[in-house]
Amino acid sequence: MTALATGITHTEEVMGTVISFTAAPGGLPAAAVRAAIAAACQGLHRADEVFSTWIAGSPVSRLRRGEVTVAELPPEVAAEVAEVLDLCQRAKAASRGWFDPWAMPGGLDPTGLVKGWAVERAANSLRRAGVAAALVNGGGDLTAFGSPAPEKPGQAGQPGLPGQPGLPWRVGIRHPWRADALACVVNVRAAIATSASYERGAHLIDPATGLPVTAAASASVTGPSLAIADALATALAVGGDDALAAIGETDGYEGYLIRADGSEVDTGGMEFTN
């Protein structure tokens, strides 16, 4: 995406990445928007404390070691963990098992869905606070609501003050081998997630073997839920064409795959634009 033109912006380091906010106040005072963003950031840090597999004492780390069950966690934490695990089960089924947090080395690891879930919750908290339009970007996994500002010719992805109702957000997907270039630009109605190895190396695990896999150079999924899109993008990066076929059978979701050899394929409904 190009630089943002207008709106109140904020960046927050959390969950091992940088989460960026751009919010259009609408009728809210700027101070109220900043307070809503601050509250959303608190929610992101809480999600990290609950679900991080790097924090030894986190509830998910304790679950991984078999020290507790979900039912033995504090009620609020148990509800959040149960919600995430239910989403993980749905994503596992939708991806033909290419996304499977129960098959990861070391035990349960819902990381491939949690960031999208947390970013989606952050955006929803802004909406509930009365923010007119916003885009929340969690290291390439982003969700938006409201409508973006009208764009000048040649500009893509300029969310700012609300524009024409129903206008989609235009989001550029980074080229996997050229950091200064885009592979494509797509219209996004709600959420898009991208999974790739160009920043973190071979970190994606094949649930069938427990070994790192590089089936894709880049894998992107659009859909109504960033949590599910995040998990399906992970599945697509691991499962390649078979996972893409599964995504094509999932209502509301579309996938775009750049294979390791550079060839490209999509599910047929991805809204590519200029």
Side-chain angles (χ1 to χ4, degrees), residues 96-108:
R96 300 180 182 172
W98 287 110
F99 174 80
D100 186 352
W102 292 273
M104 294 296 99
L108 172 69

Side-chain angles (χ1 to χ4, degrees), residues 1-2 137 139-142 156-157 169-188 191-199 216-223 233 236 254-259 264-266 270-274:
M1 291 176 56
T2 59
N137 184 347
D141 299 337
L142 61 90
W169 301 78
R170 297 178 66 222
V171 176
I173 296 175
R174 180 188 147 173
H175 194 287
W177 297 293
R178 296 171 54 197
D180 60 345
L182 298 178
C184 64
V185 177
V186 298
N187 286 334
V188 174
I192 182 169
T194 295
S195 183
S197 58
Y198 48 70
E199 288 188 345
S218 178
S220 298
V221 175
T222 61
L236 183 56
E254 301 290 343
Y256 166 60
L257 172 66
I258 304 177
R259 301 185 182 100
E264 303 176 27
V265 65
D266 71 278
M270 186 74 72
E271 294 187 48
F272 297 104
T273 186
N274 296 321

Side-chain angles (χ1 to χ4, degrees), residues 7 26 45 52 64 76 88 106 110 117 120 132 140 154 156 168 173 195 205-206 216 219 225 233 235-236 255 262:
H45 284 283
S52 174
R64 282 164 60 87
E76 185 176 356
C88 286
W117 173 80
E120 187 172 14
I173 296 175
S195 183
I205 302 297
D206 183 339
S225 165
L236 183 56

Side-chain angles (χ1 to χ4, degrees), residues 79-219:
E80 292 173 338
V81 172
E83 178 184 346
V84 164
L85 295 184
D86 178 67
L87 290 169
C88 286
Q89 189 61 56
R90 289 169 52 192
K92 178 182 176 181
S95 68
R96 300 180 182 172
W98 287 110
F99 174 80
D100 186 352
W102 292 273
M104 294 296 99
L108 172 69
D109 185 357
T111 303
L113 181 143
V114 163
K115 185 177 68 170
W117 173 80
V119 170
E120 187 172 14
R121 286 214 313 175
N124 287 339
S125 71
L126 298 184
R127 192 199 302 262
R128 289 193 301 270
V131 173
L135 184 148
V136 186
N137 184 347
D141 299 337
L142 61 90
T143 187
F145 64 88
S147 59
E151 298 173 4
K152 298 178 181 178
Q155 292 181 319
Q158 293 281 351
L161 298 177
Q164 180 180 349
L167 194 68
W169 301 78
R170 297 178 66 222
V171 176
I173 296 175
R174 180 188 147 173
H175 194 287
W177 297 293
R178 296 171 54 197
D180 60 345
L182 298 178
C184 64
V185 177
V186 298
N187 286 334
V188 174
R189 307 286 173 175
I192 182 169
T194 295
S195 183
S197 58
Y198 48 70
E199 288 188 345
R200 295 177 56 193
H203 67 287
L204 298 166
I205 302 297
D206 183 339
T209 65
L211 299 174
V213 64
T214 54
S218 178

